[in-house]
Amino acid sequence: MNIVLNGEVQETASSNLAALLAEIELDEAVVATALNGEFIASDERATTTIHEGDRIEVLAPMQGG
């Protein structure tokens, strides 16, 4: 299926957000996730299914001042 990941179309076989993070090798990283504009907490990723055309954002925290 095709999704939009951080603004880029990407093909994935993952069925949920946790599996997608593992597929893109970010499952061990500290990141924030959003699905179609809605924040998804880390403990909800395994039960959050993804579908064709979903827009997913994966953001790493930034330090700054």
Side-chain angles (χ1 to χ4, degrees):
M1 99 178 102
N2 288 316
I3 59 168
V4 179
L5 177 63
N6 292 344
E8 301 285 328
V9 174
Q10 179 169 325
E11 188 170 334
T12 184
S14 299
S15 61
N16 63 56
L17 195 51
L20 176 65
L21 289 177
E23 180 181 326
I24 63 173
E25 299 180 353
L26 288 177
D27 53 325
E28 298 295 322
V30 176
V31 294
T33 53
L35 174 64
N36 298 321
E38 296 291 324
F39 171 76
I40 304 296
S42 59
D43 62 347
E44 297 175 355
R45 293 174 184 159
T47 58
T48 301
T49 57
I50 57 176
H51 302 93
E52 179 79 26
D54 278 348
R55 298 185 65 81
I56 299 165
E57 299 293 328
V58 179
L59 305 167
M62 296 176 65
Q63 283 186 312

